[in-house]
Amino acid sequence: MKKDHNQVWQSCLDVIKDNVSPQGFKTWFEPIKPVKLEDSVLTIQVPSQFFYEWLEEHYVTLLKKIIRKELGTDGRLEYSIIMENNLNNSNPYTIKVPTSNRKAVKNAPVNMPLDLGESPIKNPFIIPGLRKLNVDSNLNPNYSFENFIEGDCNRLARSAGFAVANKPGGTAFNPLLIYGGVGLGKTHLAHAIGIEIKNKYPEKTVLYVSSEKFTHQFIDAVRNNTVNDFSHFYQMMDVLIIDDVQFFSGKEKTQDVFFHIFNHLHQTGKQIILTSDKPPVEMQGMEQRLLSRFKWGLSADLQVPSLETRIAILKKKMYADGIDLPDEVVEYLAYSITTNVRELEGALISLIAQSSLNKKSINLDLAKQMIDKFVKNTAREVSIDYIQKVVCDYFDLPIELLKSKTRKREIVQARQIAMYFAKKMTKSSLASIGAHCGGKDHATVLHACRTVNNLQETDKHFRKYLEDLEKKLSIA
Ligand code: ADP
Ligand code: MG
């Protein structure tokens, strides 16, 4: 049976949800209504012109891919925009714009096929042994040096990054390890270095990969007996950027394969760039030989930006998006959100979306109302108790059993998973996590984290549990 527009859009949303932040999903995708599906053209209704432009600006690649997946290569997306002066009209006048066109052309319905000219996704494993690699670098062009505001908080890391970009593999900063708290710009800076290298040395093979993706690729390679191809592929990079290496912790096999790749690249003068949420000395569950290599080059940290830097970041962002806000609103934002640039941007975006939805201009009052909600919502840290509750609900176990000393197999497993997430998602010490989970000591918690990591690498069902739980916990 053929799907109708509602079903198609629902499938699209399912994919979108996994690819955008919860905040972004709520703000930009929930308000969209599917209108019709005719000849592989899906029409969606968006609340305003601004909305349309925002989607085109920020989500066009994702939308293209999804539409193509859902509707085939002929698939197209059309927007129907509710015109601002027709708000009370039950049959709003709509205009159609193709996704490949940047600006909406008012009053003139245009139909153009989706531009599908982007390069197809390349499978690195298909052509092992080929010298000249044509690898998609996975770099986000928005994360450039240009867009990275300099401040005291990031001066060392930024200039080291710049030096590396000028002479990849040719400075003492190899590896370059960028570390710092969440949302402080590690990923951005890592991309910026990659982009700059690509600009200066187009022939160099640069690859950005998250440590999670690396891990999953490795697991797949183990399953498919292609570990050699996997290592070989990574050893051919001129510049390898691995984001969030802390996720390697406890994953011994992944660390092992990475160790060999690292050595090969380093010995052949290739550049390695790593990011992490903590400095090497504080990384737990990481093999000593790997940690000592992390310290070979330079570890540079990103600090929380000062008020001036936060204001400058907001202004840059507004400028890039062509948005104007009163200074007092910008300052209020920068005053209220102090520890995380991603949240700062999130607040700005929500504010703009709110005002676009309500057709209200942004003043200090609106900003205050919204930010207070926003700050309250995001300041919440997941607690151990909450994690235990989610895990118990998921496995349908009474929470008392989890906290008891019972050694029944399925309880032990749930308890270990709860410990694992507590370690991962809270700032609690191993000892206090143990105390919360049936009065165990820190060694038990450490053992639990290892067990979970190992099972995750080897057991598909177990990995699915973790993924489900992780989703439930992060939407909280
Ligand atoms: P991390 O990887 O450290 O968690 P990200 O690199 O994802 O953080 O940064 C979060 C957001 O903040 C990104 O949108 C990034 O562009 C922005 N950001 C962080 N630092 C800066 C900066 N110095 N200038 C401009 N934008 C920044
Ligand atoms: Mg990051």
Side-chain angles (χ1 to χ4, degrees):
M1 221 192 74
K2 268 193 79 160
K3 288 185 180 177
D4 70 10
H5 56 278
N6 285 316
Q7 291 161 323
V8 168
W9 181 240
Q10 190 52 51
S11 316
C12 294
L13 284 180
D14 292 340
V15 183
I16 292 168
K17 209 170 195 154
D18 289 336
N19 284 283
V20 306
S21 69
Q23 181 73 31
F25 185 81
K26 211 170 153 167
T27 309
W28 301 108
F29 293 96
E30 279 183 1
I32 295 177
K33 290 194 182 62
V35 183
K36 62 175 185 203
L37 176 64
E38 271 171 22
D39 306 329
S40 304
V41 180
L42 175 68
T43 306
I44 56 172
Q45 189 183 69
V46 296
S48 69
Q49 169 81 14
F50 173 80
F51 229 85
Y52 149 71
E53 283 173 5
W54 188 277
L55 288 170
E56 275 289 286
E57 185 76 25
H58 296 85
Y59 298 108
V60 72
T61 324
L62 177 65
L63 285 170
K64 271 185 195 170
K65 276 198 188 132
I66 292 172
I67 288 291
R68 184 163 43 173
K69 189 163 152 274
E70 276 300 313
L71 299 174
T73 41
D74 294 338
R76 278 184 292 147
L77 188 64
E78 267 179 14
Y79 299 88
S80 147
I81 302 171
I82 304 177
M83 296 306 279
E84 327 242 319
N85 48 3
N86 270 354
L87 266 187
N88 301 325
N89 195 327
S90 59
N91 180 16
Y93 173 72
T94 62
I95 62 169
K96 293 175 178 174
V97 281
T99 50
S100 54
N101 206 355
R102 267 275 112 108
K103 286 277 162 285
V105 189
K106 283 201 180 123
N107 303 326
V110 236
N111 278 326
M112 265 166 51
L114 253 180
D115 172 21
L116 296 173
E118 53 180 314
S119 58
I121 299 164
K122 293 181 192 76
N123 180 345
F125 304 120
I126 285 178
I127 36 168
L130 210 65
R131 281 236 54 81
K132 193 69 202 154
L133 274 184
N134 189 8
V135 175
D136 185 348
S137 294
N138 283 325
L139 293 166
N140 177 346
N142 293 327
Y143 284 168
S144 59
F145 269 115
E146 240 247 286
N147 290 339
F148 192 76
I149 300 285
E150 183 172 0
D152 288 337
C153 56
N154 59 35
R155 194 151 288 131
L156 173 66
R158 190 181 177 283
S159 50
F162 213 75
V164 163
N166 279 324
K167 262 181 114 185
T171 67
F173 311 150
N174 201 13
L176 174 62
L177 175 79
I178 303 162
Y179 69 92
V182 230
L184 294 184
K186 300 181 294 293
T187 298
H188 186 142
L189 187 54
H191 277 264
I193 301 168
I195 293 169
E196 190 66 21
I197 294 176
K198 266 297 191 197
N199 286 339
K200 289 213 168 82
Y201 307 93
E203 76 289 353
K204 284 207 190 290
T205 314
V206 177
L207 182 68
Y208 167 91
V209 66
S210 67
S211 60
E212 281 131 318
K213 187 161 168 203
F214 181 92
T215 305
H216 284 152
Q217 284 180 351
F218 172 61
I219 293 169
D220 285 342
V222 170
R223 193 177 309 135
N224 301 327
N225 248 322
T226 52
V227 176
N228 278 340
D229 291 348
F230 172 85
S231 305
H232 191 209
F233 171 72
Y234 277 98
Q235 287 175 0
M236 283 198 287
M237 296 304 138
D238 293 316
V239 179
L240 178 61
I241 305 170
I242 301 203
D243 205 355
D244 289 320
V245 285
Q246 74 273 8
F247 291 129
F248 284 162
S249 93
K251 303 193 177 104
E252 286 158 26
K253 297 205 189 75
T254 311
Q255 287 181 35
D256 195 50
V257 75
F258 177 57
F259 176 75
H260 292 291
I261 293 169
F262 184 105
N263 285 344
H264 181 94
L265 293 176
H266 200 272
Q267 279 159 15
T268 48
K270 307 300 172 58
Q271 180 69 46
I272 301 153
I273 298 156
L274 308 169
T275 79
S276 165
D277 67 350
K278 38 180 118 44
V281 282
E282 287 172 25
M283 285 184 206
Q284 287 179 353
M286 205 71 93
E287 279 184 56
Q288 211 45 50
R289 53 180 191 167
L290 206 49
L291 280 185
S292 79
R293 272 161 183 72
F294 288 177
K295 295 180 205 154
W296 276 356
L298 176 75
S299 302
D301 68 334
L302 294 177
Q303 302 269 343
V304 173
S306 65
L307 180 66
E308 288 75 38
T309 310
R310 296 200 296 277
I311 292 177
I313 291 174
L314 283 173
K315 292 213 158 141
K316 178 94 195 171
K317 191 91 195 123
M318 287 156 47
Y319 181 80
D321 289 334
I323 299 154
D324 211 13
L325 288 182
D327 278 349
E328 51 177 11
V329 171
V330 179
E331 277 159 26
Y332 184 74
L333 277 175
Y335 265 115
S336 317
I337 298 175
T338 53
T339 55
N340 181 327
V341 181
R342 187 177 303 126
E343 277 180 14
L344 193 62
E345 289 182 353
L348 177 69
I349 294 166
S350 308
L351 191 60
I352 295 161
Q354 274 298 317
S355 94
S356 154
L357 277 174
N358 308 336
K359 324 269 185 240
K360 271 196 228 160
S361 69
I362 303 175
N363 56 28
L364 193 55
D365 271 349
L366 181 64
K368 280 193 171 142
Q369 279 173 26
M370 228 220 57
I371 297 309
D372 292 346
K373 254 195 287 173
F374 194 84
V375 172
K376 257 186 232 129
N377 280 338
T378 53
R380 217 161 20 120
E381 195 203 356
V382 186
S383 66
I384 302 181
D385 289 342
Y386 182 71
I387 291 172
Q388 291 178 331
K389 182 180 171 328
V390 171
V391 172
C392 285
D393 285 352
Y394 184 79
F395 291 110
D396 202 21
L397 299 170
I399 199 155
E400 294 75 23
L401 273 183
L402 193 93
K403 294 188 179 185
S404 74
K405 294 203 181 301
T406 177
R407 310 267 288 262
K408 273 178 77 179
R409 198 171 162 274
E410 73 272 18
I411 313 276
V412 171
Q413 184 164 82
R415 194 184 289 134
Q416 288 181 328
I417 293 179
M419 289 174 172
Y420 164 85
F421 278 114
K423 179 76 197 80
K424 191 167 168 187
M425 303 183 111
T426 73
K427 296 195 178 64
S428 312
S429 66
L430 294 171
S432 87
I433 294 171
H436 264 77
C437 301
K440 309 286 184 197
D441 64 8
H442 83 282
T444 311
V445 181
L446 208 55
H447 173 72
C449 294
R450 284 218 186 97
T451 309
V452 171
N453 275 319
N454 285 339
L455 277 173
Q456 150 166 274
E457 287 194 53
T458 52
D459 181 335
K460 195 169 75 192
H461 298 294
F462 192 83
R463 188 155 77 239
K464 174 85 171 69
Y465 295 158
L466 291 187
E467 282 167 7
D468 288 347
L469 282 165
E470 176 130 21
K471 264 196 207 122
K472 284 185 201 299
L473 288 167
S474 55
I475 299 170

PDB file of all heavy atoms in Angstrom, residues 143 147-150 154 180-189 243 302 309 313 341-342 345, ligand 1:
ATOM      1  N   TYR A 143      31.583  25.549  10.658  1.00  0.00           N
ATOM      2  CA  TYR A 143      32.528  25.531  11.774  1.00  0.00           C
ATOM      3  C   TYR A 143      33.916  25.967  11.315  1.00  0.00           C
ATOM      4  O   TYR A 143      34.879  25.223  11.436  1.00  0.00           O
ATOM      5  CB  TYR A 143      32.590  24.132  12.382  1.00  0.00           C
ATOM      6  CG  TYR A 143      31.401  23.765  13.243  1.00  0.00           C
ATOM      7  CD1 TYR A 143      31.192  22.457  13.653  1.00  0.00           C
ATOM      8  CD2 TYR A 143      30.499  24.729  13.670  1.00  0.00           C
ATOM      9  CE1 TYR A 143      30.109  22.120  14.457  1.00  0.00           C
ATOM     10  CE2 TYR A 143      29.421  24.393  14.469  1.00  0.00           C
ATOM     11  CZ  TYR A 143      29.230  23.087  14.852  1.00  0.00           C
ATOM     12  OH  TYR A 143      28.169  22.746  15.658  1.00  0.00           O
ATOM     13  N   ASN A 147      34.334  31.795  11.830  1.00  0.00           N
ATOM     14  CA  ASN A 147      33.164  31.833  12.711  1.00  0.00           C
ATOM     15  C   ASN A 147      33.495  31.502  14.153  1.00  0.00           C
ATOM     16  O   ASN A 147      32.601  31.415  14.982  1.00  0.00           O
ATOM     17  CB  ASN A 147      32.104  30.839  12.220  1.00  0.00           C
ATOM     18  CG  ASN A 147      31.470  31.295  10.932  1.00  0.00           C
ATOM     19  OD1 ASN A 147      31.521  32.482  10.602  1.00  0.00           O
ATOM     20  ND2 ASN A 147      30.886  30.374  10.184  1.00  0.00           N
ATOM     21  N   PHE A 148      34.755  31.289  14.426  1.00  0.00           N
ATOM     22  CA  PHE A 148      35.146  30.930  15.793  1.00  0.00           C
ATOM     23  C   PHE A 148      35.707  32.169  16.482  1.00  0.00           C
ATOM     24  O   PHE A 148      36.795  32.645  16.152  1.00  0.00           O
ATOM     25  CB  PHE A 148      36.188  29.818  15.762  1.00  0.00           C
ATOM     26  CG  PHE A 148      36.452  29.191  17.098  1.00  0.00           C
ATOM     27  CD1 PHE A 148      35.547  28.296  17.651  1.00  0.00           C
ATOM     28  CD2 PHE A 148      37.604  29.495  17.813  1.00  0.00           C
ATOM     29  CE1 PHE A 148      35.787  27.707  18.893  1.00  0.00           C
ATOM     30  CE2 PHE A 148      37.848  28.913  19.056  1.00  0.00           C
ATOM     31  CZ  PHE A 148      36.936  28.022  19.586  1.00  0.00           C
ATOM     32  N   ILE A 149      34.945  32.701  17.406  1.00  0.00           N
ATOM     33  CA  ILE A 149      35.361  33.942  18.059  1.00  0.00           C
ATOM     34  C   ILE A 149      36.519  33.688  19.009  1.00  0.00           C
ATOM     35  O   ILE A 149      36.484  32.749  19.812  1.00  0.00           O
ATOM     36  CB  ILE A 149      34.179  34.532  18.865  1.00  0.00           C
ATOM     37  CG1 ILE A 149      33.005  34.843  17.948  1.00  0.00           C
ATOM     38  CG2 ILE A 149      34.623  35.750  19.655  1.00  0.00           C
ATOM     39  CD1 ILE A 149      33.176  36.078  17.106  1.00  0.00           C
ATOM     40  N   GLU A 150      37.519  34.539  18.915  1.00  0.00           N
ATOM     41  CA  GLU A 150      38.678  34.390  19.772  1.00  0.00           C
ATOM     42  C   GLU A 150      38.444  35.099  21.099  1.00  0.00           C
ATOM     43  O   GLU A 150      37.838  36.156  21.150  1.00  0.00           O
ATOM     44  CB  GLU A 150      39.896  34.990  19.068  1.00  0.00           C
ATOM     45  CG  GLU A 150      41.163  34.815  19.851  1.00  0.00           C
ATOM     46  CD  GLU A 150      42.400  35.230  19.053  1.00  0.00           C
ATOM     47  OE1 GLU A 150      42.240  35.651  17.892  1.00  0.00           O
ATOM     48  OE2 GLU A 150      43.495  35.124  19.612  1.00  0.00           O
ATOM     49  N   ASN A 154      40.015  30.749  24.804  1.00  0.00           N
ATOM     50  CA  ASN A 154      40.398  29.753  23.787  1.00  0.00           C
ATOM     51  C   ASN A 154      41.678  30.113  23.032  1.00  0.00           C
ATOM     52  O   ASN A 154      41.979  29.516  22.011  1.00  0.00           O
ATOM     53  CB  ASN A 154      39.247  29.566  22.787  1.00  0.00           C
ATOM     54  CG  ASN A 154      38.871  30.856  22.073  1.00  0.00           C
ATOM     55  OD1 ASN A 154      39.720  31.691  21.782  1.00  0.00           O
ATOM     56  ND2 ASN A 154      37.597  31.019  21.776  1.00  0.00           N
ATOM     57  N   GLY A 180      37.953  20.290  27.052  1.00  0.00           N
ATOM     58  CA  GLY A 180      37.147  21.286  27.753  1.00  0.00           C
ATOM     59  C   GLY A 180      35.731  20.776  27.939  1.00  0.00           C
ATOM     60  O   GLY A 180      35.358  19.746  27.370  1.00  0.00           O
ATOM     61  N   GLY A 181      34.944  21.520  28.709  1.00  0.00           N
ATOM     62  CA  GLY A 181      33.583  21.093  29.050  1.00  0.00           C
ATOM     63  C   GLY A 181      32.641  21.097  27.855  1.00  0.00           C
ATOM     64  O   GLY A 181      33.010  21.503  26.755  1.00  0.00           O
ATOM     65  N   VAL A 182      31.426  20.658  28.102  1.00  0.00           N
ATOM     66  CA  VAL A 182      30.433  20.557  27.017  1.00  0.00           C
ATOM     67  C   VAL A 182      30.098  21.917  26.430  1.00  0.00           C
ATOM     68  O   VAL A 182      29.955  22.900  27.154  1.00  0.00           O
ATOM     69  CB  VAL A 182      29.051  20.036  27.514  1.00  0.00           C
ATOM     70  CG1 VAL A 182      28.565  18.903  26.662  1.00  0.00           C
ATOM     71  CG2 VAL A 182      29.040  19.765  28.971  1.00  0.00           C
ATOM     72  N   GLY A 183      29.958  21.934  25.136  1.00  0.00           N
ATOM     73  CA  GLY A 183      29.462  23.127  24.466  1.00  0.00           C
ATOM     74  C   GLY A 183      30.431  24.297  24.467  1.00  0.00           C
ATOM     75  O   GLY A 183      30.030  25.442  24.299  1.00  0.00           O
ATOM     76  N   LEU A 184      31.727  24.021  24.647  1.00  0.00           N
ATOM     77  CA  LEU A 184      32.677  25.133  24.665  1.00  0.00           C
ATOM     78  C   LEU A 184      33.427  25.288  23.346  1.00  0.00           C
ATOM     79  O   LEU A 184      34.322  26.108  23.236  1.00  0.00           O
ATOM     80  CB  LEU A 184      33.671  24.958  25.817  1.00  0.00           C
ATOM     81  CG  LEU A 184      33.047  25.062  27.216  1.00  0.00           C
ATOM     82  CD1 LEU A 184      34.132  24.972  28.289  1.00  0.00           C
ATOM     83  CD2 LEU A 184      32.282  26.374  27.368  1.00  0.00           C
ATOM     84  N   GLY A 185      33.087  24.505  22.351  1.00  0.00           N
ATOM     85  CA  GLY A 185      33.677  24.753  21.038  1.00  0.00           C
ATOM     86  C   GLY A 185      34.727  23.754  20.577  1.00  0.00           C
ATOM     87  O   GLY A 185      35.430  24.019  19.604  1.00  0.00           O
ATOM     88  N   LYS A 186      34.831  22.607  21.240  1.00  0.00           N
ATOM     89  CA  LYS A 186      35.848  21.622  20.829  1.00  0.00           C
ATOM     90  C   LYS A 186      35.576  21.131  19.407  1.00  0.00           C
ATOM     91  O   LYS A 186      36.474  21.119  18.562  1.00  0.00           O
ATOM     92  CB  LYS A 186      35.835  20.409  21.780  1.00  0.00           C
ATOM     93  CG  LYS A 186      36.127  20.763  23.217  1.00  0.00           C
ATOM     94  CD  LYS A 186      36.137  19.531  24.102  1.00  0.00           C
ATOM     95  CE  LYS A 186      34.778  18.849  24.226  1.00  0.00           C
ATOM     96  NZ  LYS A 186      33.784  19.646  24.940  1.00  0.00           N
ATOM     97  N   THR A 187      34.343  20.734  19.177  1.00  0.00           N
ATOM     98  CA  THR A 187      34.005  20.211  17.854  1.00  0.00           C
ATOM     99  C   THR A 187      34.190  21.290  16.788  1.00  0.00           C
ATOM    100  O   THR A 187      34.756  21.048  15.730  1.00  0.00           O
ATOM    101  CB  THR A 187      32.557  19.693  17.859  1.00  0.00           C
ATOM    102  OG1 THR A 187      32.470  18.620  18.809  1.00  0.00           O
ATOM    103  CG2 THR A 187      32.142  19.184  16.495  1.00  0.00           C
ATOM    104  N   HIS A 188      33.733  22.488  17.119  1.00  0.00           N
ATOM    105  CA  HIS A 188      33.867  23.601  16.178  1.00  0.00           C
ATOM    106  C   HIS A 188      35.339  23.816  15.801  1.00  0.00           C
ATOM    107  O   HIS A 188      35.694  23.868  14.622  1.00  0.00           O
ATOM    108  CB  HIS A 188      33.268  24.860  16.822  1.00  0.00           C
ATOM    109  CG  HIS A 188      33.214  26.035  15.903  1.00  0.00           C
ATOM    110  ND1 HIS A 188      32.170  26.923  15.894  1.00  0.00           N
ATOM    111  CD2 HIS A 188      34.077  26.496  14.955  1.00  0.00           C
ATOM    112  CE1 HIS A 188      32.388  27.862  14.986  1.00  0.00           C
ATOM    113  NE2 HIS A 188      33.536  27.619  14.407  1.00  0.00           N
ATOM    114  N   LEU A 189      36.185  23.900  16.816  1.00  0.00           N
ATOM    115  CA  LEU A 189      37.595  24.172  16.549  1.00  0.00           C
ATOM    116  C   LEU A 189      38.233  23.032  15.745  1.00  0.00           C
ATOM    117  O   LEU A 189      39.028  23.267  14.827  1.00  0.00           O
ATOM    118  CB  LEU A 189      38.335  24.393  17.879  1.00  0.00           C
ATOM    119  CG  LEU A 189      39.780  24.853  17.792  1.00  0.00           C
ATOM    120  CD1 LEU A 189      39.912  26.108  16.940  1.00  0.00           C
ATOM    121  CD2 LEU A 189      40.332  25.124  19.193  1.00  0.00           C
ATOM    122  N   ASP A 243      36.839  13.082  17.366  1.00  0.00           N
ATOM    123  CA  ASP A 243      36.127  13.930  18.323  1.00  0.00           C
ATOM    124  C   ASP A 243      35.672  13.108  19.522  1.00  0.00           C
ATOM    125  O   ASP A 243      35.180  11.993  19.359  1.00  0.00           O
ATOM    126  CB  ASP A 243      34.898  14.532  17.612  1.00  0.00           C
ATOM    127  CG  ASP A 243      34.452  15.838  18.249  1.00  0.00           C
ATOM    128  OD1 ASP A 243      35.028  16.237  19.282  1.00  0.00           O
ATOM    129  OD2 ASP A 243      33.517  16.466  17.706  1.00  0.00           O
ATOM    130  N   LEU A 302      39.888  24.530  26.457  1.00  0.00           N
ATOM    131  CA  LEU A 302      38.924  25.591  26.194  1.00  0.00           C
ATOM    132  C   LEU A 302      38.229  25.900  27.511  1.00  0.00           C
ATOM    133  O   LEU A 302      37.716  25.002  28.175  1.00  0.00           O
ATOM    134  CB  LEU A 302      37.888  25.136  25.158  1.00  0.00           C
ATOM    135  CG  LEU A 302      38.423  24.880  23.760  1.00  0.00           C
ATOM    136  CD1 LEU A 302      37.326  24.373  22.838  1.00  0.00           C
ATOM    137  CD2 LEU A 302      39.022  26.168  23.184  1.00  0.00           C
ATOM    138  N   THR A 309      33.181  37.861  25.433  1.00  0.00           N
ATOM    139  CA  THR A 309      33.277  36.850  24.377  1.00  0.00           C
ATOM    140  C   THR A 309      31.895  36.266  24.072  1.00  0.00           C
ATOM    141  O   THR A 309      31.549  36.033  22.918  1.00  0.00           O
ATOM    142  CB  THR A 309      34.262  35.735  24.780  1.00  0.00           C
ATOM    143  OG1 THR A 309      35.471  36.347  25.205  1.00  0.00           O
ATOM    144  CG2 THR A 309      34.546  34.805  23.624  1.00  0.00           C
ATOM    145  N   ILE A 313      30.135  36.276  20.496  1.00  0.00           N
ATOM    146  CA  ILE A 313      29.668  35.047  19.833  1.00  0.00           C
ATOM    147  C   ILE A 313      28.218  35.217  19.370  1.00  0.00           C
ATOM    148  O   ILE A 313      27.867  34.897  18.237  1.00  0.00           O
ATOM    149  CB  ILE A 313      29.805  33.826  20.771  1.00  0.00           C
ATOM    150  CG1 ILE A 313      31.281  33.496  21.003  1.00  0.00           C
ATOM    151  CG2 ILE A 313      29.076  32.613  20.196  1.00  0.00           C
ATOM    152  CD1 ILE A 313      31.552  32.403  22.020  1.00  0.00           C
ATOM    153  N   VAL A 341      28.334  27.433  25.412  1.00  0.00           N
ATOM    154  CA  VAL A 341      28.034  28.219  24.214  1.00  0.00           C
ATOM    155  C   VAL A 341      26.882  27.605  23.423  1.00  0.00           C
ATOM    156  O   VAL A 341      26.082  28.304  22.818  1.00  0.00           O
ATOM    157  CB  VAL A 341      29.280  28.346  23.315  1.00  0.00           C
ATOM    158  CG1 VAL A 341      28.978  29.179  22.088  1.00  0.00           C
ATOM    159  CG2 VAL A 341      30.433  28.945  24.084  1.00  0.00           C
ATOM    160  N   ARG A 342      26.782  26.284  23.466  1.00  0.00           N
ATOM    161  CA  ARG A 342      25.704  25.657  22.722  1.00  0.00           C
ATOM    162  C   ARG A 342      24.345  26.083  23.275  1.00  0.00           C
ATOM    163  O   ARG A 342      23.422  26.386  22.535  1.00  0.00           O
ATOM    164  CB  ARG A 342      25.830  24.140  22.760  1.00  0.00           C
ATOM    165  CG  ARG A 342      24.817  23.458  21.838  1.00  0.00           C
ATOM    166  CD  ARG A 342      24.981  21.964  21.801  1.00  0.00           C
ATOM    167  NE  ARG A 342      26.328  21.567  21.392  1.00  0.00           N
ATOM    168  CZ  ARG A 342      27.098  20.761  22.091  1.00  0.00           C
ATOM    169  NH1 ARG A 342      26.667  20.279  23.225  1.00  0.00           N
ATOM    170  NH2 ARG A 342      28.290  20.446  21.656  1.00  0.00           N
ATOM    171  N   GLU A 345      23.543  29.629  22.189  1.00  0.00           N
ATOM    172  CA  GLU A 345      22.997  29.668  20.838  1.00  0.00           C
ATOM    173  C   GLU A 345      21.579  29.115  20.801  1.00  0.00           C
ATOM    174  O   GLU A 345      20.721  29.637  20.097  1.00  0.00           O
ATOM    175  CB  GLU A 345      23.855  28.819  19.900  1.00  0.00           C
ATOM    176  CG  GLU A 345      25.179  29.422  19.611  1.00  0.00           C
ATOM    177  CD  GLU A 345      25.971  28.560  18.625  1.00  0.00           C
ATOM    178  OE1 GLU A 345      25.516  27.445  18.290  1.00  0.00           O
ATOM    179  OE2 GLU A 345      27.025  29.020  18.197  1.00  0.00           O
TER     180      GLU A 345
HETATM  181  P1  ADP B   1      31.770  20.999  22.197  1.00  0.00           P
HETATM  182  O1  ADP B   1      32.220  20.128  21.076  1.00  0.00           O
HETATM  183  O2  ADP B   1      32.898  21.515  23.022  1.00  0.00           O
HETATM  184  O3  ADP B   1      30.707  20.388  23.043  1.00  0.00           O
HETATM  185  P2  ADP B   1      30.805  22.647  20.049  1.00  0.00           P
HETATM  186  O4  ADP B   1      32.041  22.784  19.270  1.00  0.00           O
HETATM  187  O5  ADP B   1      29.764  21.718  19.554  1.00  0.00           O
HETATM  188  O6  ADP B   1      31.127  22.298  21.572  1.00  0.00           O
HETATM  189  O7  ADP B   1      30.185  24.104  20.243  1.00  0.00           O
HETATM  190  C1  ADP B   1      28.846  24.336  20.603  1.00  0.00           C
HETATM  191  C2  ADP B   1      28.323  25.496  19.823  1.00  0.00           C
HETATM  192  O8  ADP B   1      28.934  26.686  20.268  1.00  0.00           O
HETATM  193  C3  ADP B   1      28.601  25.385  18.338  1.00  0.00           C
HETATM  194  O9  ADP B   1      27.487  25.792  17.612  1.00  0.00           O
HETATM  195  C4  ADP B   1      29.767  26.338  18.125  1.00  0.00           C
HETATM  196  O10 ADP B   1      29.720  26.909  16.840  1.00  0.00           O
HETATM  197  C5  ADP B   1      29.541  27.373  19.185  1.00  0.00           C
HETATM  198  N1  ADP B   1      30.789  27.967  19.673  1.00  0.00           N
HETATM  199  C6  ADP B   1      31.567  27.517  20.663  1.00  0.00           C
HETATM  200  N2  ADP B   1      32.641  28.295  20.853  1.00  0.00           N
HETATM  201  C7  ADP B   1      32.539  29.284  19.948  1.00  0.00           C
HETATM  202  C8  ADP B   1      33.346  30.429  19.630  1.00  0.00           C
HETATM  203  N3  ADP B   1      34.479  30.713  20.291  1.00  0.00           N
HETATM  204  N4  ADP B   1      32.904  31.237  18.628  1.00  0.00           N
HETATM  205  C9  ADP B   1      31.768  30.963  17.965  1.00  0.00           C
HETATM  206  N5  ADP B   1      30.983  29.926  18.211  1.00  0.00           N
HETATM  207  C10 ADP B   1      31.350  29.070  19.187  1.00  0.00           C
END
